[in-house]
Amino acid sequence: MCSRSRPKPLRPGRPRSAEADTAILEATRAALVELGWSKLTLGDVAARAGVAKTTLYRRWAGKSELVVDAVAVLFDELELPDRGSLAADIEGVVLQFAALLQRPEARTALMAVVAESTRDEPLRERIRVSIVDRQKRLVLEGRARAQDRGELPAEPDPEAAARTADLIFDVIAGAVVHRALVSGGPVDEDWVRRFTAVLLGGLRAAAQTDGPTRNP
Amino acid sequence: MCSRSRPKPLRPGRPRSAEADTAILEATRAALVELGWSKLTLGDVAARAGVAKTTLYRRWAGKSELVVDAVAVLFDELELPDRGSLAADIEGVVLQFAALLQRPEARTALMAVVAESTRDEPLRERIRVSIVDRQKRLVLEGRARAQDRGELPAEPDPEAAARTADLIFDVIAGAVVHRALVSGGPVDEDWVRRFTAVLLGGLRAAAQTDGPTRNP
Amino acid sequence: MCSRSRPKPLRPGRPRSAEADTAILEATRAALVELGWSKLTLGDVAARAGVAKTTLYRRWAGKSELVVDAVAVLFDELELPDRGSLAADIEGVVLQFAALLQRPEARTALMAVVAESTRDEPLRERIRVSIVDRQKRLVLEGRARAQDRGELPAEPDPEAAARTADLIFDVIAGAVVHRALVSGGPVDEDWVRRFTAVLLGGLRAAAQTDGPTRNP
Amino acid sequence: MCSRSRPKPLRPGRPRSAEADTAILEATRAALVELGWSKLTLGDVAARAGVAKTTLYRRWAGKSELVVDAVAVLFDELELPDRGSLAADIEGVVLQFAALLQRPEARTALMAVVAESTRDEPLRERIRVSIVDRQKRLVLEGRARAQDRGELPAEPDPEAAARTADLIFDVIAGAVVHRALVSGGPVDEDWVRRFTAVLLGGLRAAAQTDGPTRNP
DNA sequence: GCATAAACGAGACGGTACGTCGCGTCTTCGA
DNA sequence: TCGAAGACGCGACGTACCGTCTCGTTTATGC
């Protein structure tokens, strides 16, 4: 119907190399593993990727944006296993997340770009779009599955449902990150079981009181 | 008999200036507010403090260590208000913590040093000692107060009590940080009430099930 | 067939700026005049030349090498005037040399780089190639002219001729430098006339005895 | 005959340590040998001498003054050997001087302080007094000895004698320094013989023409 | 089929901050 | 009063990256 820009570039001149993009992102992850965020340099990434610095700057505005793109894909590998119960499902995904946070490229990059984003609103938005909000699917999927199983009641108010989902997400993601990167304790089966017990207990308690009696 | 702390320096040579220390830490906080972590320069801090760069390097190994010391004092200002109930106490301290995370020097510094610490074990230890572990007092104090009020049962096993306190701390600190710095949503009264409800509900539920039947 | 010198750079990348070179060397001489060798700073030279410090370090290994290049051109301005007799020619060139040694950039630079070269063989070689040996042309030209005039006999042994030329050069350059920079006395017409008389007398005496009876 | 200042300090307080002075000068020479002028630091000298930096600054104004004092004594070791003829005497002292210029502390220090002195008149004076002029005794002694032997006629005009002695000194010192440190050729027996021949020939020729007919 | 126009590698460029070193001064204590 | 020890303000060092620029080269079209 209309001429879309994508299928054929329609722009004159040499098109950008797609291989360069993947090579750069791979090189970025490799450099993160070896050097960590603060010692990673764009010149080094370019050299690893076999690419000129200019090529890199043509595609990304800076180190932060590049790293966000480089690690975003890692977080998309998370998935919600079907272990038969809501508690088991949560425990499974939390363990996956903890494993991800043991990978050096993920742990060094995640905190660093969040730190940068405290003074850079577009970057914060990019992080949310590329990394964080994409994983809320896990919460939504977990709830839907629990409701199918009858473990959780249906939530009539969609707005309240969204608010609760956000809260759950903050609690899970925040607690696991804090445990893994700040407290430094292990995120092992025992910790996950105790955490999940608190979380689910809280959810059920809140579901009971939240509906009928908000202000007793 | 009298254990003297340090009546005479006992070290030869000119002693280090105590004023320089405070001036440097103040200057560091001011620079963090104006420039943020990534644009903060040790040379700039030295200039603000009216101090030579070498003086600064004589006392701190690098930017990270300096910033940890500079912001640690901010976190010590947190205190547990006595609002009459455990829920209200928690809500109060969480709001304080959220207010702290709105301060630009705290938000930009905290995530950044945690990011650095992912590749620097001594730094991680320093963060724990100077900032994080010191605030666990709030959790312990809150529980003690709640037990005095009869809101929580006494915990016979001290080891389990410590584990639970750590877990609570990770959940609270992690969730608030994630909400404030990653999700970007407001940490307002409504959010705090809902969060506290989940947390307390979870605690009570876990306390019931945890004691009698660990492995059903 | 035609050996082209360098029609195309053949090297990839942006070529070095030729203007930068001349600006740097000029700035170096200006800084030598104002500050002298020991207070001359590469950063200051870069600033005067409107050039980044890195550009300077890309081209020269250090202060000494830069200064050698900067002052070498001054010495190339020396020339042998034709005043009609060997004595007059020598007096003329010695006065020129003395005038050069009154220029602050030359006097401060020459001794300093020689001092550095006492522990730096490549630097000594650079000084010889760029400054010292180039001026031996004056001795050779003076002798040739004197031989044309019949003031000096032809020297059959070319090796002995070269040795003598080196000796003459050391005597002239050394005596003038010592007079001007160490003793501190004026290198005026009177001194030059007396010095030339000794030198030429010695040359003629040596020429007579040297030929027939080397080892009596 | 009354109270001289030296035998007892008469000044209140602790007198300065004489050992410190000699230790500092020795340490300076040792540091010159190892490091050369440009890498010699006063802090290093103080450490080698087992002395505090302040002690050093109390006695010398800076690096140049210290080094002048440290190497001056080396030049005092030169002496005019009695080899039976003026030519042989000159050859002997020139060889001694050349040997001195092979010592690393002498060669690096001499040119460096001369370079500094081009912009520092008090330093130039200090060099002259402590090092250069003291060695003119060699010229004077050589001439006196030659006159005793009848090799040289008596010089009636003492002012002209002084001027000639200065000239001889500039020629000898300048030529040897230039040969040894700039040209880089060996100052061996052959070179010394040829140099002496030119010098003495010039002296005799100048003595003949200079007296009766200045302007023929 | 051949000009066009963009992307590409290479690397020099003006900057900024780095962390270190030496200077010369000062402040403290002990001899 | 001097001396040792060492912290201090200062300023230059030489290096590393930054992000931009200017080259010559390559590579897909579209005239």
Side-chain angles (χ1 to χ4, degrees), chain B residues 40-61:
Chain B
L40 178 144
T41 288
L42 293 203
D44 183 74
V45 169
R48 286 169 191 260
V51 144
K53 231 181 355 164
T54 42
T55 298
L56 213 147
Y57 280 105
R58 232 174 259 126
R59 290 163 156 82
W60 286 278

Side-chain angles (χ1 to χ4, degrees), chain A residues 199-210:
Chain A
L199 177 64
L200 279 185
L203 277 184
R204 294 206 180 90
Q208 289 179 346
T209 60
D210 207 38

Side-chain angles (χ1 to χ4, degrees), chain C residues 32-38 104 107-108 111-112 114-119 124 127-128 132 136 160 163-164 166-171 173-175 177-185 190-191 193-195 197-203 205-206 209-210 214-215, chain D residues 32-38 104 107-108 111-112 114-119 124 127-128 132 136 160 163-164 166-171 173-175 177-185 190-191 193-195 197-203 205-206 209-210 214-215:
Chain C
L32 280 172
V33 171
E34 282 185 33
L35 307 170
W37 160 269
S38 66
R107 58 174 15 211
T108 194
M111 292 287 94
V114 169
E116 286 299 298
S117 78
T118 57
R119 311 202 104 236
R124 179 157 42 219
I127 294 171
R128 272 205 287 272
V132 181
K136 289 191 177 166
R163 282 212 315 271
T164 302
D166 286 351
L167 176 61
I168 301 307
F169 187 71
D170 285 332
V171 170
V177 167
H178 200 271
R179 171 75 174 179
L181 303 186
V182 181
S183 297
D190 180 56
W191 187 90
R193 192 177 304 118
R194 292 188 292 118
F195 168 67
V198 169
L199 178 63
L200 279 185
L203 278 184
T209 61
D210 208 40
R214 178 67 177 277
N215 296 325
Chain D
L32 280 173
V33 172
E34 281 184 34
L35 308 170
W37 160 269
S38 64
R107 56 175 17 210
T108 193
M111 303 313 289
V114 168
E116 286 298 297
S117 76
T118 58
R119 311 202 105 233
R124 178 154 46 217
I127 294 171
R128 272 204 287 271
V132 182
K136 289 190 178 168
R163 282 212 316 270
T164 301
D166 284 351
L167 176 61
I168 301 306
F169 188 71
D170 285 331
V171 171
V177 167
H178 200 273
R179 172 74 174 179
L181 303 187
V182 181
S183 295
D190 179 56
W191 187 88
R193 193 178 303 118
R194 293 188 290 119
F195 169 68
V198 169
L199 177 64
L200 279 185
L203 277 183
T209 61
D210 208 37
R214 179 67 178 276
N215 296 326

Side-chain angles (χ1 to χ4, degrees), chain A residues 2 6 14-15 51 56 92 99-100 113 119 124 141-142 198:
Chain A
C2 44
R6 185 56 67 82
R14 178 175 172 177
V51 145
L56 210 149
L100 176 55
V113 296
R119 308 202 108 234
R124 178 156 44 218
E141 194 177 339
V198 170

Side-chain angles (χ1 to χ4, degrees), chain D residues 25 29 67-78 100 130-131 134-135:
Chain D
L25 294 177
R29 286 187 290 270
V67 168
V68 169
D69 285 9
V71 301
V73 59
L74 300 179
F75 289 82
D76 285 340
E77 296 174 2
L78 294 176
L100 177 55
S130 300
I131 302 183
R134 299 174 65 90
Q135 312 314 323

